Amino acid sequence: MRTPDEELDTIRQAGLWRELRHVQAVHGPRVTLDGREFLNFSSNDYLGLAQHPALAEAARLAIDKFGTGSTASRLICGSLAPHHDLEDCIASLKHTEAALAFATGYATAVGTLTALAGKNDILILDKLCHASLVDGARLSGATIRVFPHNNLHRLEQLLQGATAKIAPTGRIIVVTESVFSMDGDLAPLAEIIALKEHFGVLLLLDEAHALGVLGPRGLGLADHLGLQNRVDLHMGTLGKGAGSSGGYLAACRPFIDLLINKARSFIYSTAPVPAQAAAATAALQLISSDQGHTLRERLRTNLADLATLLGSAKPASAIVPIPCGTNESALQAAETLRQAGLLVPAIRFPTVPRGQARLRLTLSAAHEPQDVATLAAALNSLPRST
Ligand SMILES: *Cc1c(COP(=O)(O)O)cnc(C)c1O
């Protein structure tokens, strides 16, 4: 029998060793690690809402009224007013009949795909879909087809093949993201919608990194393109741009009822704490308000400033990948930045393909122009490795 130490050695030798960083304090875009303060360019809190007083106040009120725990799963006695308020808020913003809140985005992906797809169904995923969508698809037992990232021609071929062989009661779902988490680029959503409508199949769109960031009301790429009412299954997380935690699926009523009856990650799990649901609702209200618009403008200014200082194209989202190639050069670059007081993660296999290790930096509305200038100067003085 192999020992855990043997496995760990293999991981270390491949340059894939990971360990936890102990964050002792957070002050907006600054974090304290090992007693030293760093400028943080690794958080997904794109609008700086995780420390916003409106969210904290909503959470406190929910604790006062409902306590710290929800005491049971949603279907037993844990379905509290803050959960229903959150779901009503999501459905109203997404213009869907209903929405369902999950404990995390991961639980949403796994619960939704396993509830809506089974062995007679076909799931068609973009190659760069998040691990939670991949895991949900695998666990569902459905036939899985994968198209190269954003490749519409291959997607069309897969749709032709799938519609030719699907059973009469079978379901076909195209699964993709609006902002890809490790590249920060966008899906060609209008074209994907045209294809899925042509073939009469469903579309699940994961807006994880777009919520709060894109669209006139900050609801994501579908909002940005005016296509919200042509997406069948709207998914997202409340743990990134919404500065809280949890996941959601918004859709027409029958799909939500199916999830309530079949999604095992929803049914067999204690309901999220009421403070989380209340904070998430406050976040969504803020995101879709004029204040949210102002924060998005600040984020966009930071992104434009960074692009100017780096002499690169303006990023499509708040995620900026810097390619490094090997694990070693990505780790070395992250370490150089760390010594300069900047926290930027090196992303390696299996999160990204082998040989495509990178720095993945994220900007926030909470960064000051000086923070962006400091980052750009440090990046510009890194040795060019690729
Ligand atoms: C982060 C992420 C998730 C998971 O959401 P959590 O709330 O963090 O569990 C799902 N999908 C995508 C695309 C993500 O980036």
mmCIF file of all heavy atoms in Angstrom, residues 160-195:
data_model
loop_
_atom_site.group_PDB
_atom_site.id
_atom_site.type_symbol
_atom_site.label_atom_id
_atom_site.label_comp_id
_atom_site.label_asym_id
_atom_site.label_seq_id
_atom_site.Cartn_x
_atom_site.Cartn_y
_atom_site.Cartn_z
ATOM 1 N N GLN A 160 -25.250 18.770 -33.858
ATOM 2 C CA GLN A 160 -25.805 17.937 -34.931
ATOM 3 C C GLN A 160 -25.798 16.466 -34.519
ATOM 4 O O GLN A 160 -26.815 15.777 -34.635
ATOM 5 C CB GLN A 160 -24.959 18.097 -36.205
ATOM 6 C CG GLN A 160 -25.551 19.100 -37.172
ATOM 7 C CD GLN A 160 -24.488 19.692 -38.104
ATOM 8 O OE1 GLN A 160 -23.312 19.285 -38.070
ATOM 9 N NE2 GLN A 160 -24.899 20.639 -38.914
ATOM 10 N N GLY A 161 -24.643 16.024 -34.022
ATOM 11 C CA GLY A 161 -24.514 14.629 -33.603
ATOM 12 C C GLY A 161 -25.464 14.289 -32.476
ATOM 13 O O GLY A 161 -26.134 13.251 -32.488
ATOM 14 N N ALA A 162 -25.559 15.178 -31.501
ATOM 15 C CA ALA A 162 -26.391 14.911 -30.325
ATOM 16 C C ALA A 162 -27.872 14.868 -30.686
ATOM 17 O O ALA A 162 -28.597 13.967 -30.258
ATOM 18 C CB ALA A 162 -26.133 15.976 -29.258
ATOM 19 N N THR A 163 -28.328 15.819 -31.500
ATOM 20 C CA THR A 163 -29.757 15.842 -31.831
ATOM 21 C C THR A 163 -30.122 14.636 -32.700
ATOM 22 O O THR A 163 -31.256 14.165 -32.663
ATOM 23 C CB THR A 163 -30.158 17.164 -32.537
ATOM 24 O OG1 THR A 163 -29.190 17.464 -33.535
ATOM 25 C CG2 THR A 163 -30.230 18.314 -31.561
ATOM 26 N N ALA A 164 -29.136 14.097 -33.483
ATOM 27 C CA ALA A 164 -29.420 12.929 -34.326
ATOM 28 C C ALA A 164 -29.600 11.672 -33.490
ATOM 29 O O ALA A 164 -30.351 10.785 -33.845
ATOM 30 C CB ALA A 164 -28.300 12.735 -35.340
ATOM 31 N N LYS A 165 -28.893 11.588 -32.338
ATOM 32 C CA LYS A 165 -28.932 10.308 -31.629
ATOM 33 C C LYS A 165 -29.702 10.339 -30.305
ATOM 34 O O LYS A 165 -29.880 9.315 -29.673
ATOM 35 C CB LYS A 165 -27.504 9.793 -31.418
ATOM 36 C CG LYS A 165 -26.715 10.454 -30.301
ATOM 37 C CD LYS A 165 -25.440 9.656 -30.052
ATOM 38 C CE LYS A 165 -25.481 8.971 -28.695
ATOM 39 N NZ LYS A 165 -24.327 9.173 -27.850
ATOM 40 N N ILE A 166 -30.185 11.519 -29.897
ATOM 41 C CA ILE A 166 -30.849 11.610 -28.598
ATOM 42 C C ILE A 166 -32.177 10.841 -28.596
ATOM 43 O O ILE A 166 -32.893 10.822 -29.597
ATOM 44 C CB ILE A 166 -31.078 13.101 -28.209
ATOM 45 C CG1 ILE A 166 -31.494 13.249 -26.743
ATOM 46 C CG2 ILE A 166 -32.105 13.764 -29.126
ATOM 47 C CD1 ILE A 166 -30.359 13.201 -25.792
ATOM 48 N N ALA A 167 -32.489 10.204 -27.465
ATOM 49 C CA ALA A 167 -33.777 9.514 -27.322
ATOM 50 C C ALA A 167 -34.901 10.560 -27.293
ATOM 51 O O ALA A 167 -34.660 11.717 -26.956
ATOM 52 C CB ALA A 167 -33.763 8.716 -26.020
ATOM 53 N N PRO A 168 -36.137 10.152 -27.642
ATOM 54 C CA PRO A 168 -37.239 11.121 -27.712
ATOM 55 C C PRO A 168 -37.438 11.906 -26.407
ATOM 56 O O PRO A 168 -37.760 13.091 -26.441
ATOM 57 C CB PRO A 168 -38.464 10.259 -28.013
ATOM 58 C CG PRO A 168 -37.937 8.985 -28.570
ATOM 59 C CD PRO A 168 -36.551 8.802 -28.047
ATOM 60 N N THR A 169 -37.216 11.270 -25.260
ATOM 61 C CA THR A 169 -37.399 11.986 -23.990
ATOM 62 C C THR A 169 -36.088 12.593 -23.494
ATOM 63 O O THR A 169 -36.045 13.190 -22.423
ATOM 64 C CB THR A 169 -37.920 11.026 -22.898
ATOM 65 O OG1 THR A 169 -36.987 9.950 -22.797
ATOM 66 C CG2 THR A 169 -39.307 10.502 -23.227
ATOM 67 N N GLY A 170 -35.015 12.387 -24.254
ATOM 68 C CA GLY A 170 -33.695 12.832 -23.794
ATOM 69 C C GLY A 170 -33.560 14.345 -23.811
ATOM 70 O O GLY A 170 -34.224 15.048 -24.565
ATOM 71 N N ARG A 171 -32.674 14.819 -22.966
ATOM 72 C CA ARG A 171 -32.446 16.252 -22.842
ATOM 73 C C ARG A 171 -31.012 16.549 -23.291
ATOM 74 O O ARG A 171 -30.098 15.789 -22.966
ATOM 75 C CB ARG A 171 -32.580 16.581 -21.351
ATOM 76 C CG ARG A 171 -33.032 17.965 -21.029
ATOM 77 C CD ARG A 171 -33.255 18.091 -19.518
ATOM 78 N NE ARG A 171 -34.646 18.025 -19.154
ATOM 79 C CZ ARG A 171 -35.101 17.573 -17.988
ATOM 80 N NH1 ARG A 171 -34.267 17.110 -17.085
ATOM 81 N NH2 ARG A 171 -36.389 17.568 -17.743
ATOM 82 N N ILE A 172 -30.833 17.635 -24.022
ATOM 83 C CA ILE A 172 -29.485 18.074 -24.399
ATOM 84 C C ILE A 172 -29.253 19.443 -23.761
ATOM 85 O O ILE A 172 -30.079 20.345 -23.921
ATOM 86 C CB ILE A 172 -29.334 18.179 -25.933
ATOM 87 C CG1 ILE A 172 -29.600 16.811 -26.592
ATOM 88 C CG2 ILE A 172 -27.944 18.700 -26.314
ATOM 89 C CD1 ILE A 172 -29.655 16.858 -28.115
ATOM 90 N N ILE A 173 -28.170 19.578 -23.016
ATOM 91 C CA ILE A 173 -27.868 20.866 -22.382
ATOM 92 C C ILE A 173 -26.456 21.308 -22.780
ATOM 93 O O ILE A 173 -25.486 20.567 -22.578
ATOM 94 C CB ILE A 173 -27.946 20.792 -20.834
ATOM 95 C CG1 ILE A 173 -29.269 20.136 -20.372
ATOM 96 C CG2 ILE A 173 -27.808 22.187 -20.210
ATOM 97 C CD1 ILE A 173 -29.398 19.994 -18.856
ATOM 98 N N VAL A 174 -26.357 22.507 -23.338
ATOM 99 C CA VAL A 174 -25.056 23.125 -23.577
ATOM 100 C C VAL A 174 -24.671 23.847 -22.283
ATOM 101 O O VAL A 174 -25.480 24.575 -21.704
ATOM 102 C CB VAL A 174 -25.115 24.135 -24.744
ATOM 103 C CG1 VAL A 174 -23.783 24.862 -24.902
ATOM 104 C CG2 VAL A 174 -25.489 23.416 -26.043
ATOM 105 N N VAL A 175 -23.436 23.604 -21.818
ATOM 106 C CA VAL A 175 -22.980 24.177 -20.549
ATOM 107 C C VAL A 175 -21.755 25.046 -20.818
ATOM 108 O O VAL A 175 -20.755 24.557 -21.354
ATOM 109 C CB VAL A 175 -22.605 23.057 -19.553
ATOM 110 C CG1 VAL A 175 -22.085 23.639 -18.245
ATOM 111 C CG2 VAL A 175 -23.798 22.132 -19.298
ATOM 112 N N THR A 176 -21.840 26.320 -20.462
ATOM 113 C CA THR A 176 -20.647 27.152 -20.617
ATOM 114 C C THR A 176 -20.655 28.266 -19.578
ATOM 115 O O THR A 176 -21.581 28.382 -18.778
ATOM 116 C CB THR A 176 -20.519 27.695 -22.054
ATOM 117 O OG1 THR A 176 -19.206 28.246 -22.223
ATOM 118 C CG2 THR A 176 -21.558 28.753 -22.364
ATOM 119 N N GLU A 177 -19.585 29.053 -19.578
ATOM 120 C CA GLU A 177 -19.450 30.156 -18.621
ATOM 121 C C GLU A 177 -19.479 31.467 -19.384
ATOM 122 O O GLU A 177 -19.235 31.478 -20.587
ATOM 123 C CB GLU A 177 -18.110 30.036 -17.875
ATOM 124 C CG GLU A 177 -18.012 28.756 -17.094
ATOM 125 C CD GLU A 177 -16.650 28.575 -16.434
ATOM 126 O OE1 GLU A 177 -15.918 29.562 -16.254
ATOM 127 O OE2 GLU A 177 -16.336 27.429 -16.105
ATOM 128 N N SER A 178 -19.738 32.546 -18.701
ATOM 129 C CA SER A 178 -19.721 33.826 -19.402
ATOM 130 C C SER A 178 -18.328 34.425 -19.365
ATOM 131 O O SER A 178 -17.797 34.838 -20.387
ATOM 132 C CB SER A 178 -20.765 34.772 -18.822
ATOM 133 O OG SER A 178 -20.722 34.773 -17.431
ATOM 134 N N VAL A 179 -17.693 34.452 -18.182
ATOM 135 C CA VAL A 179 -16.290 34.872 -18.050
ATOM 136 C C VAL A 179 -15.518 33.642 -17.595
ATOM 137 O O VAL A 179 -15.859 33.051 -16.571
ATOM 138 C CB VAL A 179 -16.131 35.988 -16.995
ATOM 139 C CG1 VAL A 179 -14.653 36.239 -16.706
ATOM 140 C CG2 VAL A 179 -16.818 37.271 -17.444
ATOM 141 N N PHE A 180 -14.502 33.226 -18.343
ATOM 142 C CA PHE A 180 -13.761 32.015 -17.976
ATOM 143 C C PHE A 180 -12.772 32.322 -16.863
ATOM 144 O O PHE A 180 -12.023 33.298 -16.934
ATOM 145 C CB PHE A 180 -13.123 31.392 -19.213
ATOM 146 C CG PHE A 180 -14.152 30.675 -20.030
ATOM 147 C CD1 PHE A 180 -14.950 31.377 -20.909
ATOM 148 C CD2 PHE A 180 -14.390 29.328 -19.837
ATOM 149 C CE1 PHE A 180 -15.951 30.726 -21.625
ATOM 150 C CE2 PHE A 180 -15.392 28.672 -20.535
ATOM 151 C CZ PHE A 180 -16.182 29.375 -21.433
ATOM 152 N N SER A 181 -12.777 31.451 -15.843
ATOM 153 C CA SER A 181 -12.160 31.813 -14.569
ATOM 154 C C SER A 181 -10.646 31.934 -14.616
ATOM 155 O O SER A 181 -10.073 32.666 -13.824
ATOM 156 C CB SER A 181 -12.591 30.832 -13.480
ATOM 157 O OG SER A 181 -12.339 29.512 -13.872
ATOM 158 N N MET A 182 -9.969 31.216 -15.497
ATOM 159 C CA MET A 182 -8.501 31.267 -15.513
ATOM 160 C C MET A 182 -7.955 32.089 -16.682
ATOM 161 O O MET A 182 -6.776 32.375 -16.744
ATOM 162 C CB MET A 182 -7.925 29.840 -15.554
ATOM 163 C CG MET A 182 -8.217 29.069 -14.288
ATOM 164 S SD MET A 182 -7.552 29.911 -12.834
ATOM 165 C CE MET A 182 -8.894 29.668 -11.676
ATOM 166 N N ASP A 183 -8.818 32.444 -17.637
ATOM 167 C CA ASP A 183 -8.373 33.235 -18.797
ATOM 168 C C ASP A 183 -9.004 34.624 -18.813
ATOM 169 O O ASP A 183 -8.464 35.538 -19.446
ATOM 170 C CB ASP A 183 -8.715 32.505 -20.097
ATOM 171 C CG ASP A 183 -7.899 31.224 -20.241
ATOM 172 O OD1 ASP A 183 -8.135 30.300 -19.446
ATOM 173 O OD2 ASP A 183 -7.006 31.175 -21.096
ATOM 174 N N GLY A 184 -10.141 34.763 -18.153
ATOM 175 C CA GLY A 184 -10.807 36.061 -18.085
ATOM 176 C C GLY A 184 -11.470 36.475 -19.377
ATOM 177 O O GLY A 184 -11.934 37.606 -19.500
ATOM 178 N N ASP A 185 -11.502 35.576 -20.372
ATOM 179 C CA ASP A 185 -12.147 35.934 -21.645
ATOM 180 C C ASP A 185 -13.636 35.573 -21.607
ATOM 181 O O ASP A 185 -14.094 34.912 -20.679
ATOM 182 C CB ASP A 185 -11.434 35.245 -22.815
ATOM 183 C CG ASP A 185 -11.483 33.727 -22.699
ATOM 184 O OD1 ASP A 185 -11.624 33.212 -21.563
ATOM 185 O OD2 ASP A 185 -11.409 33.046 -23.729
ATOM 186 N N LEU A 186 -14.379 36.022 -22.623
ATOM 187 C CA LEU A 186 -15.831 35.858 -22.618
ATOM 188 C C LEU A 186 -16.264 34.778 -23.606
ATOM 189 O O LEU A 186 -15.607 34.555 -24.624
ATOM 190 C CB LEU A 186 -16.513 37.166 -23.025
ATOM 191 C CG LEU A 186 -16.097 38.434 -22.279
ATOM 192 C CD1 LEU A 186 -16.907 39.622 -22.793
ATOM 193 C CD2 LEU A 186 -16.280 38.274 -20.771
ATOM 194 N N ALA A 187 -17.392 34.151 -23.318
ATOM 195 C CA ALA A 187 -18.000 33.229 -24.283
ATOM 196 C C ALA A 187 -18.689 34.056 -25.364
ATOM 197 O O ALA A 187 -19.218 35.138 -25.078
ATOM 198 C CB ALA A 187 -19.020 32.341 -23.579
ATOM 199 N N PRO A 188 -18.712 33.556 -26.620
ATOM 200 C CA PRO A 188 -19.498 34.213 -27.671
ATOM 201 C C PRO A 188 -20.981 33.897 -27.460
ATOM 202 O O PRO A 188 -21.562 33.055 -28.147
ATOM 203 C CB PRO A 188 -18.951 33.586 -28.961
ATOM 204 C CG PRO A 188 -18.410 32.253 -28.555
ATOM 205 C CD PRO A 188 -18.021 32.342 -27.102
ATOM 206 N N LEU A 189 -21.590 34.577 -26.497
ATOM 207 C CA LEU A 189 -22.911 34.170 -26.007
ATOM 208 C C LEU A 189 -24.007 34.292 -27.060
ATOM 209 O O LEU A 189 -24.853 33.399 -27.184
ATOM 210 C CB LEU A 189 -23.270 34.983 -24.752
ATOM 211 C CG LEU A 189 -24.573 34.582 -24.072
ATOM 212 C CD1 LEU A 189 -24.546 33.121 -23.629
ATOM 213 C CD2 LEU A 189 -24.863 35.487 -22.885
ATOM 214 N N ALA A 190 -24.002 35.391 -27.832
ATOM 215 C CA ALA A 190 -25.070 35.567 -28.826
ATOM 216 C C ALA A 190 -25.046 34.415 -29.824
ATOM 217 O O ALA A 190 -26.099 33.860 -30.179
ATOM 218 C CB ALA A 190 -24.902 36.904 -29.542
ATOM 219 N N GLU A 191 -23.851 34.025 -30.254
ATOM 220 C CA GLU A 191 -23.724 32.946 -31.235
ATOM 221 C C GLU A 191 -24.111 31.598 -30.625
ATOM 222 O O GLU A 191 -24.747 30.766 -31.280
ATOM 223 C CB GLU A 191 -22.277 32.879 -31.760
ATOM 224 C CG GLU A 191 -21.850 34.067 -32.630
ATOM 225 C CD GLU A 191 -21.478 35.324 -31.837
ATOM 226 O OE1 GLU A 191 -21.556 35.300 -30.579
ATOM 227 O OE2 GLU A 191 -21.128 36.335 -32.457
ATOM 228 N N ILE A 192 -23.734 31.391 -29.370
ATOM 229 C CA ILE A 192 -24.089 30.126 -28.710
ATOM 230 C C ILE A 192 -25.610 30.034 -28.552
ATOM 231 O O ILE A 192 -26.218 28.982 -28.775
ATOM 232 C CB ILE A 192 -23.366 30.013 -27.346
ATOM 233 C CG1 ILE A 192 -21.866 29.781 -27.584
ATOM 234 C CG2 ILE A 192 -23.960 28.877 -26.509
ATOM 235 C CD1 ILE A 192 -21.026 29.783 -26.322
ATOM 236 N N ILE A 193 -26.235 31.155 -28.214
ATOM 237 C CA ILE A 193 -27.695 31.157 -28.067
ATOM 238 C C ILE A 193 -28.362 30.878 -29.413
ATOM 239 O O ILE A 193 -29.314 30.097 -29.503
ATOM 240 C CB ILE A 193 -28.175 32.487 -27.448
ATOM 241 C CG1 ILE A 193 -27.783 32.527 -25.968
ATOM 242 C CG2 ILE A 193 -29.682 32.652 -27.621
ATOM 243 C CD1 ILE A 193 -28.137 33.815 -25.257
ATOM 244 N N ALA A 194 -27.835 31.489 -30.487
ATOM 245 C CA ALA A 194 -28.409 31.238 -31.817
ATOM 246 C C ALA A 194 -28.338 29.738 -32.137
ATOM 247 O O ALA A 194 -29.306 29.152 -32.615
ATOM 248 C CB ALA A 194 -27.665 32.053 -32.872
ATOM 249 N N LEU A 195 -27.204 29.112 -31.832
ATOM 250 C CA LEU A 195 -27.048 27.681 -32.106
ATOM 251 C C LEU A 195 -27.996 26.844 -31.258
ATOM 252 O O LEU A 195 -28.660 25.940 -31.751
ATOM 253 C CB LEU A 195 -25.605 27.246 -31.821
ATOM 254 C CG LEU A 195 -24.579 27.494 -32.921
ATOM 255 C CD1 LEU A 195 -23.191 27.102 -32.427
ATOM 256 C CD2 LEU A 195 -24.935 26.698 -34.172
#
